């Protein structure tokens, strides 16, 4: 079983994916192949489209390189790479699905898609709290909104909600989120 998790920056995609991981799913992010290719850490792959010049995987570089790979190798290339990286796993959860082509690729593999959403103010607070290196260019709510808007223009993330099998509004407690996700896990696990 493959499950894809879609949503805007800091909506809770990784947290949802970690709950799946706790239940035995292998977790991989759509950005993992990009990071691996940019850092030349490619031993987990049976194939790689191409190896770029070695570089620090900043959010901007990840977006730029991801866009390039999708244009050259197809909109589903990151899903193909993520699934290849975890090819020895029976159940895979893919964090950070970002496009219609990626969702369609997951569904072609008989997978399910979860859309996670939260208000921008909540997502900004989470982003500041997590202090991820890929977010270091975001210093203010205005920077966050600018990055969020740029990602929306690039990926049309909010339009992907209609393609999801499940929608989770993640504005409550971690425990509330866990309960929602565990209900979905029970449902998809019955199909495994």
């Amino acid at each position: 079983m493959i499950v894809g998790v879609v949503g805007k920056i800091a909506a809770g995609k990784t947290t949802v994916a970690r709950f799946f991981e706790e239940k035995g799913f292998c977790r991989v992010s759509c950005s993992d192949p990009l990071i691996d290719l940019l850092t030349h850490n490619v031993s987990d792959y049976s194939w790689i489209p191409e190896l770029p010049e070695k570089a620090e995987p900043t959010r901007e570089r990840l977006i730029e390189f991801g866009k390039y790979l999708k244009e050259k190798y197809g909109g589903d290339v990151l899903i193909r790479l993520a699934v290849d990286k975890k090819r020895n796993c029976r159940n895979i959860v893919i964090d950070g699905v970002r496009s219609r082509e990626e969702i369609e690729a997951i569904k072609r593999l008989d997978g399910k898609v979860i859309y996670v959403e939260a208000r921008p103010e909540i997502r900004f607070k989470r982003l500041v709290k997590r202090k991820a290196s890929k977010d270091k260019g975001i210093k203010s709510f205005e920077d966050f909104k600018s990055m969020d808007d740029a990602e929306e223009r690039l990926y049309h993330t909010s339009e992907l909600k209609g393609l999801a099998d499940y929608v989770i509004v993640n504005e409550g407690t971690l425990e509330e989120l866990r309960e929602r996700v565990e209900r979905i896990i029970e449902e998809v696990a019955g199909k495994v």
Side-chain angles (χ1 to χ4, degrees), residues 128-162:
V128 169
K129 192 176 173 185
R130 76 183 182 191
K131 295 182 177 136
S133 62
K134 67 181 177 182
D135 300 327
K136 64 184 170 193
I138 301 173
K139 306 275 188 231
S140 65
F141 185 70
E142 289 70 31
D143 292 343
F144 171 77
K145 274 298 284 161
S146 176
M147 180 63 76
D148 201 38
D149 293 344
E151 279 206 1
E152 180 63 31
R153 283 190 301 278
L154 182 62
Y155 302 123
H156 309 285
T157 312
S158 31
E159 294 173 19
L160 303 177
K161 182 178 176 180

Side-chain angles (χ1 to χ4, degrees), residues 59-160:
R59 184 179 288 277
E60 291 75 20
R61 266 198 200 101
L62 293 172
I63 290 170
E64 184 182 310
F65 187 51
K67 196 171 160 186
Y68 165 78
L69 285 180
K70 288 175 182 185
E71 285 169 5
K72 189 165 180 183
Y73 299 98
D76 65 343
V77 67
L78 298 181
I79 297 299
R80 288 185 283 135
L81 283 165
V83 170
D84 180 57
K85 180 175 180 157
K86 298 296 182 180
R87 66 190 171 281
N88 297 319
C89 297
R90 182 167 177 217
N91 297 313
I92 303 170
V93 60
I94 304 173
D95 174 6
V97 175
R98 295 243 192 278
S99 71
R100 175 179 294 275
E101 293 86 0
E102 291 174 351
I103 288 173
E104 289 168 354
I106 289 167
K107 292 192 176 206
R108 274 195 307 273
L109 297 167
D110 292 323
K112 296 291 181 189
V113 175
I114 300 169
Y115 186 90
V116 186
E117 65 182 352
R119 292 189 311 271
E121 300 77 16
I122 291 172
R123 292 186 294 113
F124 176 66
K125 285 179 187 167
R126 289 181 186 150
L127 181 130
V128 169
K129 192 176 173 185
R130 76 183 182 191
K131 295 182 177 136
S133 62
K134 67 181 177 182
D135 300 327
K136 64 184 170 193
I138 301 173
K139 306 275 188 231
S140 65
F141 185 70
E142 289 70 31
D143 292 343
F144 171 77
K145 274 298 284 161
S146 176
M147 180 63 76
D148 201 38
D149 293 344
E151 279 206 1
E152 180 63 31
R153 283 190 301 278
L154 182 62
Y155 302 123
H156 309 285
T157 312
S158 31
E159 294 173 19
L160 303 177

Side-chain angles (χ1 to χ4, degrees), residues 40-60:
H40 292 198
N41 177 24
V42 293
S43 61
D44 289 339
Y45 299 89
S46 67
W47 69 282
I48 53 170
E50 64 183 72
L51 209 52
E53 186 176 314
K54 208 169 187 178
E56 182 187 350
T58 61
R59 184 179 288 277
E60 291 75 20

